[in-house]
Amino acid sequence: MSEPTSVQRTFAWAAPFAGLDDDALKALGNAGLLRRARKDYAAKDGVTELSHDPKGAVLGVSGASVRVDGRGPAAVSCDCPTAGVCQHVLTACLWAAEVAPEAPPQGAAPVLAQSVPRTPGPESAAGALTASETRRTAAARGPSEAVLRRRREALAEVRDVVGRLMSGGLSHLGPDDAESLLALAGRVRLAGFEQVEPGQVGGVRFVGLLRVTAGFVSGLAGRDDAVTESDLLDAFAEVWAMGEVLQRALDTGSGNDPVGGEDHAKPTGSGSRTDAEELDVARWVPLGARWWTSPSGSRGLAYLGWDSEADAASGTDAGQVRQIVTGRTSGTDPRFQRSWTSPLLWGRSLSTLCEGALKLTAVRAKPDGTLGAGGTPVVDRLDGDGFDLAELQRIAERTGAGVAPRDVVGFGRRPANVRLVLVRDVGEIGIDEVRQELTLAIVTSDGEERALRLPATSEQAVQTLLSVRSKLVAVTIERREDRDEPVGLFVRDKGAIRLVSPTITPAWTFESSHWDFWRRRIRKLRAQAASARTVRSVAVPPTPVRRVTLLLGDVLVAAAATGRPVLTARQRSDVEQARALARDLGLATLERTAGGLLDGELTPPTVLHAAFVVGRARAVAEVAG
C-alpha cells in the first residue's frame, strides 16, 4: 500500500472525503466491492499517486487510472471497463479519506449522507448542508450544458451503430461487431445515463443493455445454439427504445443529473442492485434445477429460485423468480457432468443448494441485472430442515394468475414463464407417442388441471417423477415449447418438505434402501409404464392476440436477419392479416405498427420500433394468459 500520509499531507480539495465511513462506501458501491477495495488498499503498492494539482489527483490503482477531486466520492472516475462504480473507485476514496483534512471548510456540502466530519463542531454543522438538501439542489440545478451535449452525442452514436448493424442483416454480424458494441458501451458509460428518467426505464442501466446486446452478437456470430436472431432483435429493440426515452428526457429537460439525483445511492432491489458487480440476496428460496443439452453437444444447468425481497427497479413488492445459468461447450471440462452430489455451481452441489432457504452474499450480477454463475459467493443456510409450506403458498400466489404485467414486463425484464403450483391431487400417467413425452396429470390447489410433460427419452427424469408422484406437495413448472415441464418437485419425506429435480436427482432418493423394496418398486414402475394410457396431442390454436404478435414477429425477424428493405409478397400478406386482426380486436397500437410496415421502406428505425411494440405486446399477453 502506498503511504499517502507518510509526511502527514492533507489536501483542501479532499474535504468532501473527510470522515467517509463504511456505510457511505457501501451506499456508493456495495459490501462486496468494499471488501475488495480494502484488499487493494492494504496491498503493497496498491495505490500509487501518479500526479496531482490544486483541484485533485490521479491515482494508479491495480493497473487502472482513477481521478479524485473536490467534487467528492460521487464524481470519482476510473478508466477501467467496468460500468459504474468499481472497486478502484472505492480504493481511491479510501486513499482520499486519508489525505482529507479533519473537518471540511465552512459551508462545504457533504456529497453523501454518511460523509460527515470526523470531529463535527457547531461551525461545521451550521455551515454544511444535509445530503438530501444537496441532492435536491443538484437536481433543481440540473446537468450542465457540457454533460447534456455529451449525452446527445452518445445517443446519436448509438443510433448510428445500431442502424448500421441492422441494415447489414443480423445473420451477417461477426465478432468485430460485438467488440464495437462493447466499446460503444464504454463511451455511453462516460456520458452518464444511470439516473436519467429512472421512473420510465425502471432503473435499468443503458450501458447494461448495450453490453447484453454485445453478448448476443458475440453468441450469434459464434453459432451459439442458445442465441437466435429473435433474441438479438429484441435486444436491439430495447436499446433503440431506451435511447428514444433518454433523448426525449434530454429534449424536454426532464432528465436528472446522475451525480445529484435522489436515487443515486438508493439500492434498486435485494442487496445493492446498482452498477455493482456483486450483490447480496437476503433470502433465496430454491425452486428447482434443469439439466440441458444442445444439439452441438454443449450441456449446462439452469438453477431457479425466488428472490423474496422487494425489487424497486421493477416496482414489485413481493419478490421475483430469478435464474442462474451455467454450461460448458462440447469437449470441455469433463468434470462438469449431470450430478446431484458433485459441485456444479459456486463450488457446491445441487443437493446442497436445494436443501432449503439460503442467504447469498456477494453473488455475481450480470449487466442486465440477472444473477451470474461466476465468482465465489457465500451461501448460508436459513431456517431449519426442508421448506415451509406457508412460504411456498405465498410464492405460488405471486407466480400465479394474479401477477400484473407491469411487475414483470419492462426494460431489461422478461416474464420468467415459471410458476409454482400446490398439488391437491395426482392423476393418471400417460404417454404421448407423437411427441414422445410422458405426461402426468395433476390438480392444483385452486382446482386447475394441468398436464406435466417430460421427454420419454430422458429415462432418469421419468423414473424420478414416477418415484415421488405419490408424495408431491408442489411443483415448479416452466413453460417450454408449448409444454409444462416440471423443473422442481417438492415432496414430503418424513415430515419435511424437500426439493428434487426431475432431470438431475436420482430416482428413489427419498425411499428405503432395502433391496427387497427396490425390486418391488421397479416392478411397480414398469407396470405403471406398461399400463399408461396413450395421450393424443391436440394442437391448441394461439389466442387472437398471440396470433397477431406471431405473424408480425416472424416477419420482423426475417427482415432483420436478412437486412432486406422491402417486404416479400408472403410477408406483406401476413402483415395485412395481422393488421386486420388487430383492428378487429381493438389493438390500435399494433394496428398502427402493422400499417407502418406496409406503408414504406423497412428502415432500421421502422423495424426496431415495430419489434419493440410487438415484443411488449407478446410479453403482456404471456403474463395475462
Side-chain angles (χ1 to χ4, degrees), residues 444-499:
T444 66
S445 58
D446 55 5
E448 179 185 7
E449 295 184 1
R450 303 182 75 102
L452 307 181
R453 291 177 172 268
L454 282 173
T457 54
S458 179
E459 184 176 350
Q460 174 179 315
V462 171
Q463 289 180 347
T464 301
L465 179 61
L466 294 178
S467 67
V468 300
R469 61 183 291 266
S470 62
K471 301 181 178 182
L472 281 180
V473 174
V475 180
T476 302
I477 299 173
E478 184 176 16
R479 187 71 173 172
R480 292 176 50 79
E481 300 174 357
D482 297 327
R483 73 171 186 268
D484 288 340
E485 180 175 328
V487 295
L489 306 173
F490 291 88
V491 299
R492 192 175 296 278
D493 174 63
K494 300 178 182 178
I497 298 177
R498 304 189 185 278
L499 174 61

Side-chain angles (χ1 to χ4, degrees), residues 88-100:
H88 308 125
V89 168
L90 297 188
T91 305
C93 289
L94 293 173
W95 182 91
E98 288 294 324
V99 301

